[in-house]
């Protein structure tokens, strides 16, 4: 009987752990059920139900169209190509920001993240100025890349470079470099040591980054519509066209279901493969792992990354600034203070304060929901229900933002969930996109914490909350700040759903930019560039503050 007592104790401990995990899942599950599943289901039902009967034959009718099949093929192909190219370009940057210490590192890290939060319509226009008719390449060498696949791929790398640098670099900076150094002392070449020691440890973060990039490019809208021209169309573009131009909700609902199913399958496979490769990692203080570049190899790599950032990221941003200053005497900026009574009920400059307040509220929601979800998913021996929840958390990134926005209008219009006139509706929509970032950023680090540390604290009588505060939080604090920064940046730039639910007297910056670009005249276009520049500066300042907090060694946060 004595031999059975430890097993009984372990069984009770496992049951308690499962109960605690399910308790942590309750709030995220309720949040996603009400503000994601319910609105999306309302749109699908509106499109496929007629007189109370489901018309499932519409699915086969839509799939039988050759143009729809071409849309499905191009959506998948360009997403795979964009993901591979972004990883190829971004992994060297992740190493440089994680391991090398050089002047201006914090500022440059903030600059790298700014493109990720810019509205797609603005970036598409900036790339046209670079690679389109009369653009920089056309003027210098007579080369045009607009309405080509390369234009789409380059713009996707522009957007998602920061995803790889921050997601992979965040974990890379916490890895103990002595493990790779030990392998090299045993005779391994630098490449072999990296491939055998560092790469397996980075696999969860690389997988998470690849997943996020794939989902963003799989659902790409603004970039493809502006740079691809009529020859290229993704599922997101087609859903928007069917909903807003043709008013065919049935076809839009079928495409939404296809997108939902495809993303769900991808997430399930990703969760299975990444979970099999995760191991406990030895994490160290990230502030101690960065060193000055040593040797010609590291200096060459640093120069290459800086050149990539300058050409691929800074140059399009410089185009935005140049166009915003084209009017003499800061004319476009001064025009932002005037309410013209057209597309805006308030002066366009009010969108700055509105965006900041909405983004702050969305970040708070996303961090709370995402942290609870990540804590529930920490253990790798979870059951199928919990593993399925892991994949479901990412679905908002793979479902059309147009569908979510319309779903909010259709579903959240009756008491007790009549939120159409409430300001909280916009932060809720933005938080849906921010939660997956919080989870994917925190989860690899949480799972890397040695479980024996938690067990030792529990044996000494620490409560679950104290175990989290004393063991997990010091190790994941950096990841939590990165997650908050991502959520804030994503909320500032969210456009797809916000454009349908933002009130006319409270437009966000992306919505205001889109409205100005959609109106004819140089003044409106110049104001759009001015607002985009303001958004870029606000993001850069916010991210720079975040960088200083992340590198503060005092431990006070």
């Amino acid at each position: 009987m004595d031999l059975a007592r430890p097993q009984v104790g372990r069984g009770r401990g496992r049951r308690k752990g499962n109960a605690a995990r399910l308790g942590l899942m309750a709030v995220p599950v309720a949040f996603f059920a009400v503000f994601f599943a319910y609105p999306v289901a309302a749109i699908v039902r509106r499109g496929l139900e007629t007189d109370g009967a489901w018309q499932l034959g519409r699915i086969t009718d839509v799939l039988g169209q050759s143009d729809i099949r071409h849309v499905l093929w191009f959506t998948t192909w360009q997403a795979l190509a964009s993901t591979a190219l972004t990883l190829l370009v971004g992994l060297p940057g992740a190493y440089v920001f994680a391991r090398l210490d050089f002047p201006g590192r914090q500022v440059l890290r903030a600059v790298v993240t700014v493109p990720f939060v810019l509205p797609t319509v603005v970036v598409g226009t900036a790339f046209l100025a670079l690679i389109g008719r009369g653009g920089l390449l056309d003027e210098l060498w007579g080369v045009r890349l607009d309405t080509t696949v390369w234009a789409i791929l380059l713009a996707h790398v522009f957007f998602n470079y920061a995803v790889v640098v921050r997601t992979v670099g965040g974990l890379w900076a916490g890895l103990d470099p002595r493990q790779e150094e030990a392998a090299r002392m045993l005779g391994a070449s630098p490449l072999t040591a990296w491939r055998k020691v560092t790469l397996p440890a980075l696999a969860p973060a690389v997988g998470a980054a690849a997943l996020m990039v794939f989902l963003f490019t799989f659902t790409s809208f603004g970039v493809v519509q502006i740079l691809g021209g009529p020859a290229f169309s993704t599922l997101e573009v087609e859903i928007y066209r069917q909903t807003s131009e043709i008013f065919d909700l049935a076809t839009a609902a079928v495409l939404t279901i296809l997108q939902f199913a495809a993303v769900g399958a991808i997430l399930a496979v990703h969760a299975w493969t990444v979970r099999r490769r995760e191991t406990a990692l030895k994490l160290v203080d990230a502030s101690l792992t960065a060193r000055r570049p040593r040797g010609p190899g590291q200096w060459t790599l640093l120069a290459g990354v800086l050149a990539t950032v300058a050409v691929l990221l800074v140059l399009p941003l410089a185009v935005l600034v140049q166009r915003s200053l084209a009017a003499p005497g800061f004319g476009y900026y001064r025009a932002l203070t005037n309410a013209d009574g057209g597309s805006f009920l308030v002066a366009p400059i009010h969108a700055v304060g509105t965006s900041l307040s909405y983004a702050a509220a969305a970040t708070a929601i996303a961090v709370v929901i995402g942290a609870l979800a990540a804590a529930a998913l920490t253990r790798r021996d979870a059951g199928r229900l919990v593993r399925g929840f892991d994949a479901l958390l990412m679905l908002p990134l793979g479902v059309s933002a147009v569908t979510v926005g319309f779903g909010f209008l259709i579903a959240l219009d009756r008491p007790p969930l009549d939120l159409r006139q409430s300001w909280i509706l916009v932060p809720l929509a933005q938080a849906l996109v921010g939660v997956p970032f919080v989870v994917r950023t925190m989860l690899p680090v949480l799972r890397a914490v040695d479980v024996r540390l938690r067990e030792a604290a529990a044996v000494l009588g620490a409560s679950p909350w104290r175990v989290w505060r004393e063991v997990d939080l010091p190790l994941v604090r950096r990841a939590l700040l990165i997650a908050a920064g991502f959520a804030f940046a994503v909320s500032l730039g969210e456009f797809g759903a916000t454009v349908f639910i933002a009130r006319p007297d409270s437009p966000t910056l992306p919505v205001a930019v889109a409205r100005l670009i959609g109106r004819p005249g140089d003044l409106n276009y110049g104001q759009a560039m001015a607002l985009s520049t303001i958004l870029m500066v606000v993001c850069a300042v916010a991210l720079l503050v975040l960088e200083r907090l992340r590198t503060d060694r005092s431990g006070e946060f």
Side-chain angles (χ1 to χ4, degrees):
M1 295 296 295
D2 292 339
L3 294 177
R5 288 177 181 173
Q7 296 179 3
V8 173
R10 285 195 296 269
R12 291 176 179 174
R14 188 178 298 109
R15 287 193 295 271
K16 290 182 179 179
N18 291 336
R21 190 158 52 239
L22 292 175
L24 291 171
M25 289 173 54
V27 175
V29 167
F31 178 80
F32 275 81
V34 174
F35 298 112
F36 175 68
Y38 178 47
V40 172
I43 282 289
V44 173
R45 180 179 178 181
R46 181 70 64 91
L48 297 182
E49 188 180 52
T50 302
D51 297 329
W54 287 85
Q55 306 296 326
L56 299 182
R58 293 176 181 174
I59 298 178
T60 56
D61 293 339
V62 172
L63 292 179
Q65 302 175 23
S66 59
D67 56 337
I68 296 298
R69 292 198 300 270
H70 176 76
V71 168
L72 294 174
W73 174 85
F74 177 73
T75 300
T76 304
W77 180 88
Q78 63 84 25
L80 290 172
S82 298
T83 302
L85 187 60
T86 304
L87 289 175
L88 180 65
V89 177
L91 285 176
Y95 171 82
V96 165
F97 284 106
R99 292 300 198 203
L100 301 184
D101 186 17
F102 52 91
R105 178 166 169 252
Q106 295 180 22
V107 175
L108 191 61
R109 192 195 299 268
V111 170
V112 163
T113 310
V114 168
F116 182 73
V117 303
L118 291 177
T120 54
V121 290
V122 176
V123 175
T125 305
F127 266 80
L128 283 179
L130 293 175
I131 61 179
R133 182 188 300 273
L136 183 61
L137 291 182
D138 192 14
E139 292 179 354
L140 295 179
W141 299 292
V143 176
R144 291 181 54 192
L145 296 178
D146 58 323
T147 68
T148 68
V149 173
W150 278 109
I152 296 173
L153 297 182
L154 289 175
H156 283 164
V157 175
F158 173 88
F159 271 115
N160 297 296
Y161 183 83
V163 175
V164 177
V165 169
R166 285 186 166 267
T167 304
V168 179
L171 182 59
W172 205 335
L175 296 180
D176 192 342
R178 291 174 296 183
Q179 297 180 10
E180 187 172 331
E181 293 172 357
R184 296 186 60 181
M185 291 180 63
L186 294 175
S189 64
L191 180 60
T192 301
W194 180 82
R195 183 169 54 88
K196 295 291 186 180
V197 177
T198 304
L199 184 58
L202 291 175
V206 173
L211 171 65
M212 286 188 283
V213 173
F214 182 86
L215 287 178
F216 289 139
T217 53
F218 189 82
T219 59
S220 183
F221 172 62
V223 167
V224 178
Q225 190 172 33
I226 294 176
L227 298 178
F232 303 105
S233 180
T234 59
L235 273 173
E236 187 84 357
V237 173
E238 191 64 22
I239 291 173
Y240 177 81
R241 190 174 73 90
Q242 295 290 339
T243 303
S244 302
E245 298 178 8
I246 304 178
F247 303 107
D248 187 352
L249 285 183
T251 300
V254 171
L255 295 180
T256 298
I257 294 174
L258 292 176
Q259 193 177 62
F260 193 90
V263 171
I266 294 166
L267 292 176
V269 173
H270 172 271
W272 179 76
T273 54
V274 171
R275 185 174 60 253
R276 287 173 59 89
R277 300 185 64 181
E278 286 178 340
T279 56
L281 305 177
K282 183 179 181 182
L283 300 179
V284 297
D285 187 352
S287 63
L288 303 178
T289 60
R291 302 176 179 176
R292 300 284 294 181
R294 294 177 296 181
Q298 290 189 348
W299 281 107
T300 301
L301 181 61
L302 175 59
V305 169
L306 293 178
T308 300
V309 171
V311 174
L312 185 64
L313 305 183
V314 176
L315 189 57
L317 301 182
V319 171
L320 293 180
V321 176
Q322 184 274 329
R323 292 195 174 187
S324 72
L325 297 173
F330 298 95
Y332 293 144
Y333 289 91
R334 288 188 286 105
L336 294 176
T337 61
N338 301 323
D340 58 6
S343 298
F344 301 94
L345 298 180
V346 295
I349 195 65
H350 284 84
V352 177
T354 301
S355 287
L356 291 175
S357 60
Y358 284 167
T363 300
I365 297 172
V367 167
V368 172
I369 300 298
L372 290 174
L377 297 169
T378 298
R379 291 182 57 177
R380 291 184 288 272
D381 60 348
R384 293 183 178 179
L385 178 62
V386 179
R387 292 198 297 267
F389 175 64
D390 185 6
L392 289 174
L393 289 171
M394 297 295 292
L395 285 178
L397 298 181
V399 174
S400 169
V402 174
T403 301
V404 174
F406 270 124
F408 269 45
L409 294 179
I410 292 176
L412 305 180
D413 61 344
R414 300 175 183 175
L417 289 176
D418 188 359
L419 302 177
R420 288 173 301 174
Q421 302 301 321
S422 175
W423 68 271
I424 196 63
L425 196 63
V426 173
L428 287 172
Q430 295 172 342
L432 280 173
V433 182
V435 168
F437 279 98
V438 176
V439 174
R440 289 297 120 188
T441 303
M442 294 187 62
L443 193 55
V445 180
L446 277 172
R447 285 180 171 170
V449 177
D450 194 338
V451 68
R452 292 172 295 183
L453 296 176
R454 300 190 184 101
E455 293 174 349
V459 168
L460 294 175
S463 64
W465 165 247
R466 187 173 182 183
V467 171
W468 161 260
R469 181 166 53 88
E470 299 291 342
V471 177
D472 292 84
L473 184 58
L475 294 174
V476 305
R477 180 172 52 192
R478 185 171 185 270
L480 183 62
L481 288 172
I482 295 174
F486 260 131
F488 185 81
V490 169
S491 299
L492 278 177
E494 204 287 322
F495 172 71
T498 306
V499 68
F500 295 104
I501 57 180
R503 295 184 301 183
D505 59 342
S506 302
T508 62
L509 278 170
V511 172
V513 169
R515 291 178 181 174
L516 288 169
I517 287 181
R519 299 171 63 184
D522 292 339
L523 179 60
N524 290 317
Y525 187 79
Q527 289 183 84
M529 295 299 101
L531 274 183
S532 299
T533 303
I534 292 174
L535 175 58
M536 179 180 66
V537 172
V538 169
C539 292
V541 171
L543 294 170
L544 181 59
V545 171
L546 177 64
E547 291 300 320
R548 295 185 66 86
L549 289 175
R550 291 171 62 244
T551 54
D552 186 357
R553 302 184 184 182
S554 65
E556 299 296 331
F557 288 87

